[in-house]
Amino acid sequence: MYITKSRTVCEIETSKDYRSACFSGAISRNCKSLRSNLAQLNEHPFDILLNPGTELPKEISLKGLPVKIQNTRQILDFGDRYSILVSNHYQGYCDDGKLQVPFTKYRIPFRKPTPIIKLLGVRNIRMLYAAGKLGWNMRDWNSLYDGILCFGPRHAYLFKKHFGLSVYEMGYPRFDKFFNTPIDRAAVIASLGGSPDKKTVVWLPTWKTLSSVGHFSDEIAELAKTHNVIVKVHPMMVEEEPQKVDALDKLGLTKIIKDQRDNIPLYQAADVMLFDYGGPAFGGVYAGKRFVLLNVPGAADDPFTGQDSSDLVLRDHFRNVEPGSGQLKHLLGDGESWSKHEATCKTLSAVYFAPLQGTSAAAAAAAIQDLSWIDSKS
């Protein structure tokens, strides 16, 4: 979990039991999505709070930022609290007098069943991490928050409707770099083992039951004969489903990325992208990328997609393909309808995201420093 600490983020009365106001992201694997937000707080010292047994991934650079790393166990042991805690998940719960730390084997002794964010923060803000998987994003633990930093109008409506929460539409901060920082595309492709003379396909599958890994093996292996095919697997797949990662090694792909590097250069390098379910497809919409959606059997009934699933709605508007249909290569090469695709991206981007391309991190940082949007119940 990440926490920033700043004495000037907001004017909240503090006592000896409260640490200064803070900004928190999430567990360490998500820090890359917060880097742009943290940079916007460069005048406000902040903490990064890591769960026991975790460390900051080596791919994450916080160079130049006024940051201090803290440990959840120590903060709880000292009885400290942050005036403001920003997270993407409620982080854990107490059970039988012990606190289960999410995504780890650790349990911290505690006296009463209180959610961890309530133990760590006086006021809690949730910052959305990914736009898809509505069944996960809209779970009951959202009611523990005082406000939501959401992507745009669609999520703002849902959080107000289901939880009565204050919302702030921030756009998609992690994509600021897509609009503001051009890359040497040929150099990036070559660094990944590809040929700049070939079309580049980037595949960003999710994990577990909604993952397209294993459903399109033959078609993607065939595609790799004529294209650069770069896959970046979900970080939890590396940890929890190594057999799926191993299966990818047999497909002859250009590059299999197993670390936690930033996805944005991959969006910039790709000619066409492949998505299944979760946040990456919405990033494609926001960035106006050409993409094909890979369908997985049973997805409509999966608890992670949820009622009125945005993941399924995208399939009403964009080209998508069933496993075993043999249509993937054809859809990638069908150029006649890409202009319609790009127009649809613009239309749906306005539904799911505030129009802050390139300035979203600054908007999110401003919302963290000025909580009037929460106090006014907007």
Side-chain angles (χ1 to χ4, degrees), residues 138-167:
M138 300 302 298
R139 288 187 173 174
D140 289 345
W141 43 257
N142 284 288
S143 61
L144 299 171
Y145 287 93
D146 299 294
I148 306 289
L149 290 173
C150 65
F151 299 119
R154 175 60 178 166
H155 288 95
Y157 167 78
L158 290 172
F159 281 104
K160 287 180 180 179
K161 175 183 176 182
H162 291 288
F163 304 104
L165 291 170
S166 297
V167 296

Side-chain angles (χ1 to χ4, degrees), residues 70-87:
Q70 301 281 8
N71 183 281
T72 307
R73 185 192 302 271
Q74 293 176 340
I75 297 297
L76 293 173
D77 286 346
F78 293 153
D80 288 338
R81 296 175 77 195
Y82 288 90
S83 298
I84 304 171
L85 183 71
V86 184
S87 59

Side-chain angles (χ1 to χ4, degrees), residues 31-63:
C31 187
K32 62 183 179 294
S33 69
L34 300 167
R35 178 60 172 80
S36 55
N37 301 82
L38 301 182
Q40 293 294 328
L41 291 168
N42 57 11
E43 296 180 0
H44 304 273
F46 58 88
D47 286 359
I48 292 180
L49 183 60
L50 296 178
N51 287 331
T54 63
E55 59 184 24
L56 202 65
K58 65 180 184 299
E59 298 87 7
I60 307 304
S61 172
L62 299 175
K63 185 178 180 180

Side-chain angles (χ1 to χ4, degrees), residues 65-367:
L65 298 180
V67 59
K68 184 175 181 180
I69 305 296
Q70 301 281 8
N71 183 281
T72 307
R73 185 192 302 271
Q74 293 176 340
I75 297 297
L76 293 173
D77 286 346
F78 293 153
D80 288 338
R81 296 175 77 195
Y82 288 90
S83 298
I84 304 171
L85 183 71
V86 184
S87 59
N88 79 336
H89 181 269
Y90 78 113
Q91 296 300 321
Y93 51 90
C94 292
D95 182 22
D96 297 328
K98 291 186 178 181
L99 183 71
Q100 176 70 50
V101 180
F103 310 106
T104 76
K105 299 177 181 178
Y106 291 87
R107 297 174 69 82
I108 301 174
F110 207 79
R111 291 189 298 273
K112 59 182 180 179
T114 305
I116 189 172
I117 60 172
K118 294 296 188 181
L119 301 176
L120 293 170
V122 178
R123 305 183 82 181
N124 282 277
I125 300 171
R126 183 182 177 205
M127 174 181 285
L128 291 195
Y129 170 66
K133 294 186 178 178
L134 204 59
W136 184 88
N137 257 329
M138 300 302 298
R139 288 187 173 174
D140 289 345
W141 43 257
N142 284 288
S143 61
L144 299 171
Y145 287 93
D146 299 294
I148 306 289
L149 290 173
C150 65
F151 299 119
R154 175 60 178 166
H155 288 95
Y157 167 78
L158 290 172
F159 281 104
K160 287 180 180 179
K161 175 183 176 182
H162 291 288
F163 304 104
L165 291 170
S166 297
V167 296
Y168 186 97
E169 298 178 23
M170 63 177 175
Y172 211 171
R174 68 185 300 184
F175 271 82
D176 281 359
K177 188 165 69 173
F178 180 91
F179 300 100
N180 297 336
T181 309
I183 63 167
D184 182 335
R185 186 171 174 274
V188 169
I189 292 171
S191 72
L192 296 170
S195 168
D197 296 328
K198 293 182 179 180
K199 294 288 186 180
T200 296
V201 178
V202 171
W203 178 22
L204 299 178
T206 189
W207 68 307
K208 283 194 170 181
T209 55
L210 289 173
S211 178
S212 52
V213 173
H215 291 285
F216 291 86
S217 297
D218 291 342
E219 291 179 75
I220 290 177
E222 185 66 25
L223 194 64
K225 296 177 181 178
T226 54
H227 294 67
N228 300 315
V229 178
I230 299 164
V231 57
K232 181 174 181 291
V233 298
H234 192 284
M236 292 302 294
M237 179 177 285
V238 176
E239 298 175 22
E240 303 291 339
E241 301 174 306
Q243 74 282 359
K244 289 187 177 181
V245 179
D246 292 342
L248 291 171
D249 288 325
K250 302 174 183 178
L251 301 185
L253 307 182
T254 306
K255 180 71 173 181
I256 303 171
I257 300 173
K258 304 174 187 179
D259 59 34
Q260 297 184 46
R261 72 184 69 181
D262 191 2
N263 287 346
I264 302 305
L266 300 178
Y267 280 84
Q268 293 172 300
D271 291 294
V272 185
M273 305 190 75
L274 303 178
F275 305 121
D276 41 40
Y277 302 86
F282 293 88
V285 172
Y286 188 68
K289 295 296 297 186
R290 296 181 175 185
F291 60 83
V292 175
L293 299 172
L294 306 180
N295 298 332
V296 172
D301 299 317
D302 193 284
F304 273 13
T305 53
Q307 186 177 8
D308 301 322
S309 167
S310 300
D311 293 284
L312 301 182
V313 169
L314 289 188
R315 284 158 168 78
D316 293 334
H317 299 276
F318 296 106
R319 58 185 72 186
N320 58 92
V321 60
E322 300 295 335
S325 67
Q327 293 299 303
L328 179 57
K329 189 171 185 178
H330 168 72
L331 289 175
L332 292 179
D334 180 12
E336 294 183 3
S337 60
W338 283 126
S339 59
K340 180 180 178 181
H341 172 103
E342 291 159 4
T344 305
C345 281
K346 291 181 180 179
T347 299
L348 290 187
S349 181
V351 173
Y352 291 105
F353 301 99
L356 297 170
Q357 285 85 345
T359 61
S360 292

